[in-house]
């Protein structure tokens, strides 16, 4: 379901980017992009949770956090708006931030339940 929604958002984004109309303003495009990222990463997060974050999942967690940071970075790097909060909107900013925090919490919580892993790789958890 989430991948279908993400695909639909990306398809709409692709169509809007191809148009030369004024209706494809940066805020609408960024919102579609952000929604696609939220849906795709949610799907991936659920897979990790179902697998109880396997030992080799640290790279995947980093990638997901990076994806969830992209909309904010995109706005800041391109100076698209003096106050990026108003371009992304408080709701999307909060959702991105909450999802990054929840993912880190779930990952760390899953790892700390594994005492033998913790003894071997505590530096990874601190990082």
């Amino acid at each position: 379901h989430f991948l279908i929604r993400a695909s639909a958002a990306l398809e709409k984004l692709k169509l809007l980017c191809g148009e030369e109309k004024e209706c494809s303003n940066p805020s609408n495009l960024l919102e579609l992009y952000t929604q696609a990222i939220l849906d795709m990463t949610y799907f991936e997060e659920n897979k990790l949770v179902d697998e109880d974050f396997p030992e080799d999942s640290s790279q995947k967690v980093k990638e997901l956090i990076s994806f969830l940071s992209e909309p904010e970075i995109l706005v800041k790097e391109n100076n698209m708006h003096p106050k990026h909060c108003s371009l992304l909107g408080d709701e999307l900013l909060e959702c991105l931030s909450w999802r990054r925090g929840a993912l880190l919490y779930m990952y760390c919580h899953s790892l700390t339940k594994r005492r033998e892993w913790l003894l071997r790789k505590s530096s990874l958890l601190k990082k």
Side-chain angles (χ1 to χ4, degrees), residues 26 30 33-34 68-89 93 96-97 100:
L30 189 59
Y33 178 66
T34 303
L68 289 165
S69 300
E70 277 185 17
E72 291 170 89
I73 292 169
L74 181 65
V75 171
K76 287 177 185 176
E77 284 181 351
N78 290 299
N79 295 319
M80 292 170 62
H81 203 270
K83 190 174 181 184
H84 70 278
C85 297
S86 60
L87 185 60
L88 264 173
L93 277 173
L96 290 166
S97 181
R100 286 190 301 263

Side-chain angles (χ1 to χ4, degrees), residues 58-74:
S58 66
Q59 186 59 39
K60 187 65 172 181
V61 170
K62 286 179 189 177
E63 288 172 8
L64 290 172
I65 289 172
S66 177
F67 289 139
L68 289 165
S69 300
E70 277 185 17
E72 291 170 89
I73 292 169
L74 181 65

Side-chain angles (χ1 to χ4, degrees), residues 47-58:
K47 284 183 3 185
L48 288 173
V49 169
D50 290 344
E51 298 168 358
D52 201 24
F53 290 90
E55 278 194 35
D56 61 347
S57 62
S58 66

Side-chain angles (χ1 to χ4, degrees), residues 1-123:
H1 174 71
F2 290 100
L3 290 179
I4 292 169
R5 281 183 21 185
S7 179
L10 289 174
E11 196 59 39
K12 187 173 180 180
L13 181 61
K14 184 176 154 183
L15 290 172
L16 287 174
C17 285
E19 293 180 1
E20 294 181 23
K21 298 177 182 176
E22 288 295 318
C23 67
S24 57
N25 69 50
S27 184
N28 289 345
L29 299 176
L30 189 59
E31 184 178 332
L32 282 169
Y33 178 66
T34 303
Q35 191 57 55
I37 287 174
L38 287 168
D39 287 336
M40 286 185 291
T41 56
Y42 186 73
F43 174 80
E44 293 295 328
E45 284 174 42
N46 281 327
K47 284 183 3 185
L48 288 173
V49 169
D50 290 344
E51 298 168 358
D52 201 24
F53 290 90
E55 278 194 35
D56 61 347
S57 62
S58 66
Q59 186 59 39
K60 187 65 172 181
V61 170
K62 286 179 189 177
E63 288 172 8
L64 290 172
I65 289 172
S66 177
F67 289 139
L68 289 165
S69 300
E70 277 185 17
E72 291 170 89
I73 292 169
L74 181 65
V75 171
K76 287 177 185 176
E77 284 181 351
N78 290 299
N79 295 319
M80 292 170 62
H81 203 270
K83 190 174 181 184
H84 70 278
C85 297
S86 60
L87 185 60
L88 264 173
D90 290 337
E91 188 175 303
L92 282 177
L93 277 173
E94 184 178 340
C95 192
L96 290 166
S97 181
W98 185 88
R99 289 279 302 283
R100 286 190 301 263
L103 175 60
L104 275 175
Y105 174 81
M106 290 184 297
Y107 176 64
C108 293
H109 179 73
S110 294
L111 294 181
T112 56
K113 292 189 303 186
R114 303 178 193 145
R115 290 204 181 277
E116 71 285 346
W117 183 92
L118 203 58
L119 292 172
R120 288 184 288 132
K121 297 187 180 183
S122 63
S123 63

